[in-house]
Amino acid sequence: MDHLRPVDLAREHGISTQAVRNYEQAGWIPPAERTPAGYRTYTAAHAAALRTYLALVPAHGHALSGQIMTALHAGEVDAALTAVDRGHAQLLRDRETLDVVGRALENLAAGPGTAAGGSSGGPSGAPEGAQELSIGELARRLRVTAATLRNWEEAGILVPARTPVTTHRTYGTDDVRDAELAHLLRRGGYPLAHIATVVQQIRTAGGTQALSGALDDWRHRLTARGLAMLHAAGLCARYMAFLDIGPDLGPAAPGPRAPVPGR
């Protein structure tokens, strides 16, 4: 079995040896063997694990990628696949929201009389006049907290109505559309002030240049993430075969098949 140093793993990916040690400590690559002097030694299994994890990150993000690797190392295939499914579900949700906002942008360009939302309803295709949502219902729909929605309201992104007696917030079709757009742009890294400007443009059927640019940029990001998912899926499947917990799709990395330390 070939033995690799931390610097050998780090050099391939342009990362630090400390990062390699951090990934090991987090469980995202298997535990290293130790020399009599206490130095870490890695194998092709570790190189394959690191290659797989770093391919997963641009596809699913650090947290979800870590969950996938931890599940694989525990032999929990269903848990790993469930985490992968969450990433794909979020990508699909983002694409659907982009399509809705894109149609809203086309309506805005057609004139003030066809403001976003229109007769086709809100982001999930709900008909006009659909039942209004409470703050808790909208938070669950977006998978955010009620505090997040209140922050967006303070930033001028959301302007919910209030019930006459209880003064509870209620969110109609346009409010849900604005919240979906805000959620999308926040995941794209846009600050609240920028999002408030974009949402205000939709409300007033004013200029759409900022919105168009933001949507184009995010669509490119979604395409890149989708391609990253395809690449990561191949490496992940090969690493599963490397661990003997998946179909044999060929070696995950150059070199002889090696057992994972600690398994």
Side-chain angles (χ1 to χ4, degrees):
M1 182 188 306
D2 293 334
H3 291 280
L4 304 171
R5 301 166 300 168
V7 68
D8 297 323
L9 269 65
R11 187 180 292 123
E12 177 183 349
H13 304 284
I15 60 178
S16 67
T17 55
Q18 183 60 51
V20 175
R21 290 190 288 269
N22 290 343
Y23 296 155
E24 177 190 343
Q25 183 177 9
W28 301 335
I29 65 174
E33 298 287 353
R34 297 276 187 161
T35 68
Y39 294 108
R40 287 177 171 86
T41 62
Y42 297 106
T43 66
H46 298 93
L50 182 59
R51 195 174 293 117
T52 301
Y53 171 71
L54 292 179
L56 285 167
V57 169
H60 299 282
H62 287 278
L64 204 56
S65 298
Q67 292 177 26
I68 294 168
M69 296 302 292
T70 300
L72 290 180
H73 293 148
E76 299 172 352
V77 176
D78 286 342
L81 294 179
T82 298
V84 171
D85 290 342
R86 289 194 189 100
H88 284 282
Q90 185 63 68
L91 179 62
L92 178 59
R93 183 181 178 86
D94 286 351
R95 288 192 185 281
E96 291 173 343
T97 302
L98 263 177
D99 289 341
V100 169
V101 176
R103 289 194 296 272
L105 181 60
E106 292 176 359
N107 289 339
L108 289 177
T114 54
S119 60
S120 61
S124 58
E128 187 173 4
Q131 183 178 6
E132 294 178 332
L133 302 180
S134 68
I135 189 170
E137 290 168 336
L138 181 56
R140 287 191 292 273
R141 174 190 176 101
L142 298 179
R143 299 188 181 93
V144 300
T145 64
T148 294
L149 296 180
R150 287 191 288 268
N151 287 339
W152 292 355
E153 182 179 344
E154 291 177 4
I157 296 171
L158 299 180
V159 188
R162 297 277 187 159
T163 57
V165 178
T166 64
T167 71
H168 291 164
R169 295 171 174 83
T170 60
Y171 300 84
T173 298
D174 288 348
D175 299 311
V176 173
R177 175 207 63 204
D178 295 344
E180 292 274 12
L181 175 57
H183 194 211
L184 175 71
L185 295 179
R186 280 300 282 166
R187 289 198 299 275
Y190 292 93
L192 292 180
H194 177 88
I195 297 172
T197 299
V198 171
V199 170
Q200 183 62 29
Q201 288 174 344
I202 288 184
R203 291 199 197 109
T204 60
T208 58
Q209 183 175 1
L211 176 60
S212 178
L215 293 183
D216 286 345
D217 177 65
W218 189 240
R219 192 175 298 279
H220 289 316
R221 296 189 189 197
L222 293 185
T223 298
R225 182 155 34 117
L227 293 173
M229 285 181 175
L230 288 177
H231 175 64
L235 287 178
C236 195
R238 284 176 171 79
Y239 186 56
M240 290 172 65
F242 203 94
L243 298 175
D244 288 327
I245 59 173
D248 188 357
L249 302 177
R257 186 181 179 93
V260 176
R263 283 188 58 82

